[in-house]
């Protein structure tokens, strides 16, 4: 049977990274079936296009995965596929919580023939076999022989064949400049960000988060060996293509068990498996100096930190009191000293937020090393404790907000400001952080660091701008480049100057910090 795995586009950004679930389920598919992957962010498709595709390609089963924000599109695509006579199975965090909605049991039309609840690592092979026999059931739940919920152990994680998978749709380098960039340094002909998981689960239970409910509060890890082997495979592929690969460790809290994270990082270093990587780690865990040393030595470049708010009362309200705003600056400085920077995520529209929260937050951010601040709104995702609290209090203004998804729009009334005021605070945060002046300042603030770090900050800021300000087409990109021409030209000039100096004997490598091995100067215990 030919199977198509499809992830709908998010309607905001182009894909900078493939979705891991597709590659994982592909690797777990029983022998004898062929699996095709389409990520809507990389290969945009409409209902008509996908219906035509499944007929032309003789697809026998389509699997669709989606977060809440893409579910309306996922349902539309599923409807078109089913109308073309091909069965659809849906999985992922939204339908796990809203299975009745997907199966048409909630008074609305049916969108899926079957729903996979929760983690599907162990149910997927069964779904495929049932579909091949034409005996798909409505619901596949991860339960043991006694009907008890069973979370897959990650000890026997399947090797994902990154060396042979076609990753063409995920190359971020524009085709036009590929031949030129291939010749640069260690080669930039391709640049891909690849998702890798080293563990699942987070016990912290922040009120707005799906993770503790979905993956559970028991944490499971892959073996160090299997993670290291995956990195080595990716590294070899990048080298053979004269391209670059960076890894996004998608674990919700990569250092949730510090002892184990340190042991993984030591094994990565020992195996020379360093690639540049990003990981999500909560601020409280970054107090550990040795951990931060190891992060830098093992290739860590960007750490995503869910700071959420600079107001301790807000943090307490959402059960995230373990975040201490007073230590944010120290944490970020500790990282920056090792040339690791942070993506700092904030949520506005929390219950203790008042007018001016955007500016108050920016005042703090301006005292920190440059990073990538991002701003969102408190969003009641289905089945989270937040959703239940707001529903019970009658505060949901759009209880089924996913059915008419609007980016950056609240679905409940905040306590101390209006919905439009909260929206304006988010806009203010983005506009002030990603203006050409702010980008120039961020780059200038690390003028003492090698050129590569400044190029890194510049490119990252230009890309992150697109999360809020539409930057999908060539015209939008050209406009952004023109607006930031001074900063761009300044760095280009410096790069050419340095290149000339290198030719005349001074040792220097363009993109040193991006293409070269991660920091070697830090001493770490093995
Ligand atoms: C990586 C990631 C991202 C990436 C993008 C996705 C990508 N390209 O990988 C980035 C960083 C961009 C991102 C952004 C956002 N994310 Co995000 N993200 C994640 C994260 C950390 C990992 C996803 C992952 O790969 N997991 C590992 C895989 C193996 O798990 P999985 O996807 O759940 O798949 C398993 C099952 O669900 C199931 N399954 C999934 N799909 C399918 C399909 C079929 C057919 C079947 C059978 C089974 C199946 O089988 C898989 C194996 O068991 C998750 C949290 C988490 N740990 O999952 C949050 C998460 C998915 N994100 C979330 C959210 C809310 C967001 C944002 C909206 C945040 C924001 N406020 O801006 C944005 C929106 C992004 C956008 N514009 O589209 C929520 C989604 C909740 C929900 N109900 O939708 C999660 C769960 C985190 C949370 N805090 O609650 N995200
Ligand atoms: S620490 Fe992160 S992953 Fe864990 S519950 Fe809180 S928001 Fe979710």
């Amino acid at each position: 049977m030919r199977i198509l795995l499809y992830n709908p586009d998010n309607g905001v950004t182009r894909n900078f990274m493939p979705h891991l679930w597709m590659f994982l389920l592909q690797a777990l598919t029983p022998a004898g079936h062929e699996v095709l992957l389409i990520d809507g962010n990389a290969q945009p498709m409409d209902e008509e296009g996908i219906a035509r595709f499944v007929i032309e390609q003789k697809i026998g089963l389509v699997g669709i995965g989606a977060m809440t924000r893409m579910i309306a599109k996922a349902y539309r695509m599923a409807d078109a596929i089913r109308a073309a006579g091909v069965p659809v199975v849906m999985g992922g965090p939204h339908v796990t919580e809203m299975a009745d909605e997907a199966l048409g049991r909630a008074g609305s039309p049916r969108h899926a023939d079957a729903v996979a609840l929760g983690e599907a690592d162990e149910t997927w092979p069964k779904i495929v076999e049932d579909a091949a026999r034409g005996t798909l059931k409505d619901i596949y739940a991860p339960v043991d022989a006694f009907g008890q919920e069973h979370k897959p152990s990650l000890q026997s994680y399947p090797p994902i064949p990154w060396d042979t998978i076609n990753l063409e749709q995920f190359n971020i380098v524009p085709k036009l400049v590929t031949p030129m960039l291939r010749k640069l340094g260690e080669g930039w002909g391709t640049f891909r960000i690849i998702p890798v998981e080293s563990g699942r689960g987070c016990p912290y239970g922040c009120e707005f988060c799906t993770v503790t409910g979905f993956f559970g509060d028991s944490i499971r890890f892959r073996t160090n060996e299997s993670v290291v082997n995956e990195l080595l495979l990716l590294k070899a592929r990048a080298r053979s293509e004269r391209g670059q690969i960076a890894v996004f460790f998608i674990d919700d809290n990569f250092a949730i068990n510090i002892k184990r994270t340190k042991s993984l990082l030591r094994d990565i270093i020992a195996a020379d498996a360093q690639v540049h990587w990003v990981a999500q780690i909560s601020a409280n865990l970054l107090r550990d100096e040795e951990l931060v040393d190891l992060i830098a030595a093992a290739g860590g470049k960007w750490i995503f930190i869910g700071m959420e708010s600079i107001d301790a009362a807000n943090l307490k309200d959402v059960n995230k009191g373990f975040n201490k705003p007073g230590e944010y600056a120290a944490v970020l400085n500790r990282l920056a000293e090792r040339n690791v920077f942070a993506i700092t995520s904030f949520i506005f529209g929390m219950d203790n937020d008042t007018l001016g929260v955007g500016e108050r937050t920016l005042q703090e951010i301006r005292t920190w090393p440059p990073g990538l601040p991002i701003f969102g709104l408190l969003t009641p995702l289905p089945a989270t404790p937040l959703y239940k609290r707001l529903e019970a209090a009658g505060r949901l203004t759009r209880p089924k907000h996913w059915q008419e998804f609007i980016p950056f729009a609240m679905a409940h009334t905040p306590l101390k400001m209006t919905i439009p005021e909260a929206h304006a605070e988010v806009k203010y945060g983005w506009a002030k952080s990603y203006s050409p002046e702010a980008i120039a300042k961020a780059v200038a603030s690390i003028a003492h660091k090698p050129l590569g770090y400044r190029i890194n900050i510049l490119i990252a800021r230009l890309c992150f701008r697109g999360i809020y300000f539409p930057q999908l087409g060539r015209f939008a990109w050209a406009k952004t480049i023109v607006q930031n021409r001074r900063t761009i030209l300044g760095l280009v000039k410096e790069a050419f100057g340095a290149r000339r100096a290198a030719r005349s004997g001074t040792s220097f490598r363009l993109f040193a910090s991006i293409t070269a091995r991660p920091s070697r100067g830090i001493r770490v215990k093995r």
Side-chain angles (χ1 to χ4, degrees), residues 10 15-21 24-25 63-65 67-70 89-93 116 118-121 124 197 200 209-211 214-215 248 250 252 280 381:
N10 63 43
N15 208 15
F16 73 94
M17 177 171 83
H19 290 268
L20 180 59
W21 70 267
L24 188 56
L25 295 193
I64 302 183
M67 295 184 206
T68 295
R69 62 181 281 153
M70 295 98 149
V89 52
M90 295 186 81
E119 295 170 60
D121 310 51
W124 175 245
E197 63 179 336
R200 287 185 197 163
C209 179
T210 314
V211 170
F214 186 88
F215 287 104
F248 190 135
I250 55 92
D252 288 292
Q280 315 183 91
L381 292 169

Side-chain angles (χ1 to χ4, degrees), residues 60-82:
L61 173 70
V62 178
I64 302 183
M67 295 184 206
T68 295
R69 62 181 281 153
M70 295 98 149
I71 205 69
K73 170 91 188 240
Y75 287 157
R76 288 199 300 277
M77 297 299 261
D79 294 348
I81 295 163
R82 294 180 76 230

Side-chain angles (χ1 to χ4, degrees), residues 18 65 111 208 238 288 312 393-394 401 472 493 509:
H111 306 288
F208 51 81
D288 189 312
H401 52 90
L472 279 171
K493 240 163 105 182
R509 291 179 74 198

